[in-house]
Amino acid sequence: MPEEPADDREAVLARLDLTTPHSARVWNYFLGGKDNYAPDRDLGEQILHHFPEIVDAARADRAFLGRAVHHLVGEAGMRQFLDLGTGLPTADNTHEVAQRLAPEARIVYVDNDPLVLVHAQALLTSSPEGVTDYIDGDVHEPGPILERAGRTLDFDKPVALMLLGIMQFVNDDEEAYDIVDRLVAALPSGSHLALAHPTAEVHTEAMTAAVASWNEQGSSPMKLRSREQLLRFFRDLELLDPGVVSCSRWRADRPDIGEIADVTQFCGVGRKP
């Protein structure tokens, strides 16, 4: 992965706030990771006290990422990925799943958490045949992201756009839809969108309370959306079966998975015609 210039790195690290809970670090805590701090753990425990099932949603989201990337590489032939809202690296990140199947795959990660940047430089490595890059960028500004991603990705060839657990931080619906529309419009025919987003359609009362706690203390307010609202993100795409569903149910047909329960994270994958 290309090195971040020293002055840029210092400017990014200057933004690091360890006193306010951050979504990437709280999510890391739910997944059993160690890249979190006392404020993240305190808020995480508050949420878990009222809503322990959120751990299931976090795990289902990660499992969906793996199944989606496996499909996108193995069946859809994707060799390029633009992953916005990367989060803290854990096991089986997008590049690891993709490059196990296609070592030549090229992946660009995008996040605006300084701690993610620090870990990205250490952990988001690439296979010798492929490329992994990282952009310090804000989803509210898709233009600069696309410009920088174009240094690594070839936008004349299909790209898989990954938006897992990021669009809930764009609270205005029209702005959220416009951002996704702009990103998808920049991609050629045959590209795909994989999106995961929290909802209150499962465990409604507990999830609503959990988000209220987050919005009182977290770094960025979060908005829940219904399945109907999530379908709007795929308006101009061919939505793949089984449509927008609980992350636990998206092509989860392996016999080892066992009984499947709905979680508060919904997802879908669409193809650009």
Side-chain angles (χ1 to χ4, degrees), residues 107-223:
I107 296 90
V108 173
Y109 290 103
V110 183
D111 207 294
N112 68 347
D113 178 9
L115 189 62
V116 175
L117 172 61
V118 172
H119 285 272
Q121 290 182 325
L123 299 178
L124 298 181
T125 56
S126 173
S127 65
E129 302 91 338
V131 176
T132 303
D133 196 5
Y134 180 91
I135 296 173
D136 174 40
D138 191 325
V139 71
H140 291 272
E141 301 176 352
I145 290 173
L146 290 167
E147 180 181 357
R148 287 195 57 189
R151 303 174 191 175
T152 300
L153 305 178
D154 181 355
F155 285 129
D156 290 328
K157 298 179 181 179
V159 175
L161 174 62
M162 310 291 289
L163 297 174
L164 275 59
I166 180 66
M167 296 313 298
Q168 68 265 29
F169 297 110
V170 182
N171 286 198
D172 182 83
D173 289 338
E174 290 309 311
E175 182 188 8
Y177 297 142
D178 180 66
I179 288 169
V180 175
D181 288 347
R182 289 174 63 188
L183 290 167
V184 170
L187 308 181
S189 175
S191 295
H192 286 68
L193 166 66
L195 182 142
H197 192 294
T199 181
E201 294 205 359
V202 179
H203 301 298
T204 301
E205 186 175 339
M207 187 59 176
T208 302
V211 170
S213 294
W214 167 260
N215 287 347
E216 289 176 1
Q217 303 178 55
S219 55
S220 301
M222 179 189 306
K223 179 170 183 177

Side-chain angles (χ1 to χ4, degrees), residues 23 26-32 43-62 168 198-199 202-203 206-214 222 224 262-265:
S23 58
V26 174
W27 203 245
N28 176 265
Y29 180 63
F30 291 151
L31 288 169
L43 179 54
E45 283 299 318
Q46 290 180 38
I47 293 172
L48 288 170
H49 177 73
H50 298 288
F51 185 32
E53 293 86 357
I54 200 166
V55 172
D56 298 329
R59 292 172 178 168
D61 178 84
R62 292 297 299 183
Q168 68 265 29
T199 181
V202 179
H203 301 298
M207 187 59 176
T208 302
V211 170
S213 294
W214 167 260
M222 179 189 306
L224 301 172
D262 288 332
V263 298
T264 56
Q265 192 88 339

Side-chain angles (χ1 to χ4, degrees), residues 64 68-69 71-72 76 78 80-84 139 158-167 176-177 179-185 187-197 229-241 243-244 250 267-273:
F64 164 67
V69 173
H71 165 80
L72 290 167
M78 295 293 101
Q80 302 190 108
F81 290 79
L82 179 57
D83 187 332
L84 277 72
V139 71
V159 175
L161 174 62
M162 310 291 289
L163 297 174
L164 275 59
I166 180 66
M167 296 313 298
Y177 297 142
I179 288 169
V180 175
D181 288 347
R182 289 174 63 188
L183 290 167
V184 170
L187 308 181
S189 175
S191 295
H192 286 68
L193 166 66
L195 182 142
H197 192 294
Q229 289 174 304
L230 298 184
L231 284 169
R232 166 59 182 80
F233 287 113
F234 298 93
R235 179 180 61 175
D236 298 322
L237 303 175
E238 298 171 349
L239 189 60
L240 305 188
D241 288 337
V244 172
W250 196 88
C267 66
V269 178
R271 179 184 183 276
K272 184 173 182 178

